[in-house]
Amino acid sequence: MRLNRIPPAAAAAVCGSLALLIAGPALAWDGPPAGSAPAAAPDMAGSLDTAGSLGETLMQASRIGTEARAKTPDTAELQELQRRLRAASGRLQRSAKTADRAAEVPVQLKKLDDDVAALLRAAGAEDATGITAGATAVVADERALLTSAPKLLPTGATAPTAPA
């Protein structure tokens, strides 16, 4: 029996919304008006990479939680999702070190990795209580990362408004 619960789906929706909220205006921007002098702006490419890495990390963690809660979790798929999560977390951690604004992010990413590993162990052992506790811990880790998200982006990282 596949347990469909709101928290993993809500976390995935929040991840997508956050990524679009952060990256959307920058992607829609056509650039400065012709003939204007370029202003000293924060590194938008770095901000977009950070937002993308955060969104991918949260999405992979949500997918792991969803797959682990399936009636018959696919351990090979879970291991592949964990590999992708670690890759996205590594990119996010490198971005956080570059930004040097959110010192707690590496600690949060380590906790997320530990909680995902515990969730996978519970899924492998078919421990329903462990899976529920692990999924709850993963969602809590995602929430912690979401609260750190504004600190990851440099101040003034909003895209300039398009000319009227």
Side-chain angles (χ1 to χ4, degrees):
M1 175 172 100
R2 189 176 204 66
L3 299 175
N4 290 327
R5 302 230 15 194
I6 298 297
V14 168
C15 296
S17 298
L18 177 66
L20 287 176
L21 175 70
I22 294 172
L27 294 174
W29 185 53
D30 289 336
S36 66
D43 180 21
M44 287 303 278
S47 297
L48 291 174
D49 289 342
T50 301
S53 297
L54 175 64
E56 187 178 353
T57 299
L58 295 172
M59 180 188 69
Q60 295 300 335
S62 295
R63 289 182 63 197
I64 288 171
T66 302
E67 179 63 32
R69 295 175 58 115
K71 181 178 181 183
T72 54
D74 182 359
T75 55
E77 176 70 13
L78 284 170
Q79 289 174 348
E80 175 62 20
L81 290 172
Q82 185 181 29
R83 184 194 63 74
R84 290 180 189 170
L85 173 67
R86 286 182 174 158
S89 293
R91 286 190 297 276
L92 179 59
Q93 190 165 3
R94 285 188 296 278
S95 295
K97 283 182 182 177
T98 303
D100 196 33
R101 295 192 184 291
E104 70 270 8
V105 170
V107 174
Q108 291 169 342
L109 290 172
K110 173 70 173 126
K111 183 167 178 350
L112 175 63
D113 187 51
D114 292 344
D115 288 341
V116 164
L119 176 60
L120 294 181
R121 282 192 301 277
E126 297 180 7
D127 175 17
T129 305
I131 291 171
T132 301
T136 302
V138 167
V139 170
D141 296 338
E142 290 178 319
R143 284 185 186 139
L145 279 171
L146 283 171
T147 59
S148 298
K151 298 175 193 171
L152 290 173
L153 301 174
T155 56
T158 59
T161 57

